[in-house]
Structure formats: structure tokens, C-alpha cells
Amino acid sequence: MTLTRRSPGGRLLRPRDRIAIALVVLAGAALRLRSALGTFVAPDEAIVLGISAGRGPAEICDASLSNPHPPLVYLLLSAWLRLGRGDLLVRLLPILLTSLALVLMWRTASALLGRSRALFGVALVAASPTLVPATTEVRPYPLLLLLAAASVEALRRATGPVAERRRP
């Protein structure tokens, strides 16, 4: 068996580890896609789409002042809407953001807890009955999840070996 890349904790990452996390992320995306099929845009999602659609960045920032969410989600969605506006296509952005968050969660958890525990934890998050529907909505939740995961990973990297020494 060949060892190729290094894991977040500095250990060599086996191809089977990469395959395992890829399968978990793909399974999570499939669950979210299944949840998104046949779903219609809810009124609160329509507000988010209304702010994002057909406006420039300055107009989006101005329109977001009357909404409790920061403008980044509207700016991302505005760029995404250039691909199309179907109900399923609009929901692919939250699914993509959540998939990226799962990868970041795995990187952090594998460095701190080990690869098998990290994989188990990410599988739980990927299949969570609460998170699956919430992360298919055209709302800021998937972006929040991604930014939180990125923040924790950045903190882990900033603290470096100190955080990894405490691993059992």
C-alpha cells in the first residue's frame, strides 16, 4: 500500500482515508439532494432570493440592511444565480457549502482526534436529521456552518502542535 499525502495532523494520509471521507461527503450530499428534490421555495427563502437576484453588489449590500443576515450570503447567491434559477439549482449552493464544511470538519477532527474518530464524527454530522433539511434551504445556515468550520480549522492551525499534543 502506498502512502501519498500528509493528513492535517502531519501523519501520512492513506488513499483509503481519502476515499472514506469522500464517500461520507458524497453520502451527505446525496442525502441533502434527496431532501431538496420536490421542495418549493418557502416565503423566507423567496426574500433571500429577491435580495440576491438581478442586483449588483452595492444594491445587494443596501437591500441587506433591512434583513438580519449579512450581505455575504446574498452576494454568493447572486453569483450562483447566474448559472440558473431552478428550485433544485438554487439549492445546490447550500449543498456545496455544506460539503466543503464537512471536509474542513474532518481536517480539524482528524488532527485533534485521529482519523477514525474524525470520520465517525463527520458521518454523524453528514447524516444528522436536523442538519440535512436545514442545509438545503436557501438561507445563511450552510454558509455559517462553513465559516464556523473554517474558523475552527484556522484556530487549530494557528495553535499548531500545542493543540495536537493533547490528543489522547
Side-chain angles (χ1 to χ4, degrees):
M1 174 182 293
T2 60
L3 303 175
T4 53
R5 297 179 58 197
R6 295 216 175 258
S7 72
R11 297 176 307 275
L12 290 176
L13 186 61
R14 294 182 183 103
R16 71 176 181 188
D17 294 331
R18 287 188 291 173
I19 291 170
I21 190 60
L23 289 175
V24 167
V25 170
L26 286 174
L31 285 172
R32 283 162 180 75
L33 189 60
R34 184 173 179 262
S35 175
L37 287 174
T39 318
F40 299 99
V41 175
D44 56 340
E45 293 174 305
I47 293 170
V48 172
L49 287 169
I51 292 173
S52 302
R55 298 181 187 206
E59 293 172 309
I60 289 173
C61 289
D62 289 341
S64 72
L65 294 175
S66 64
N67 201 291
H69 307 299
L72 181 57
V73 71
Y74 304 116
L75 293 169
L76 281 174
L77 189 56
S78 175
W80 185 261
L81 288 174
R82 292 180 184 170
L83 298 175
R85 296 180 190 231
D87 286 347
L88 183 59
L89 184 63
V90 167
R91 294 186 189 283
L92 287 179
L93 178 62
I95 293 170
L96 176 65
L97 294 174
T98 304
S99 298
L100 292 173
L102 291 173
V103 172
L104 283 172
M105 287 177 200
W106 178 80
R107 287 185 58 85
T108 304
S110 65
L112 298 174
L113 305 172
R115 293 182 293 234
S116 59
R117 290 178 186 159
L119 189 62
F120 181 73
V122 170
L124 287 177
V125 173
S128 168
T130 304
L131 280 178
V132 168
T135 53
T136 59
E137 294 179 359
V138 184
R139 309 261 338 259
Y141 307 129
L143 180 61
L144 177 65
L145 187 65
L146 175 62
L147 292 176
S151 297
V152 173
E153 174 62 10
L155 179 63
R156 182 198 64 83
R157 285 182 178 206
T159 56
V162 174
E164 293 171 15
R165 262 188 276 155
R166 296 186 163 210
R167 183 180 51 225

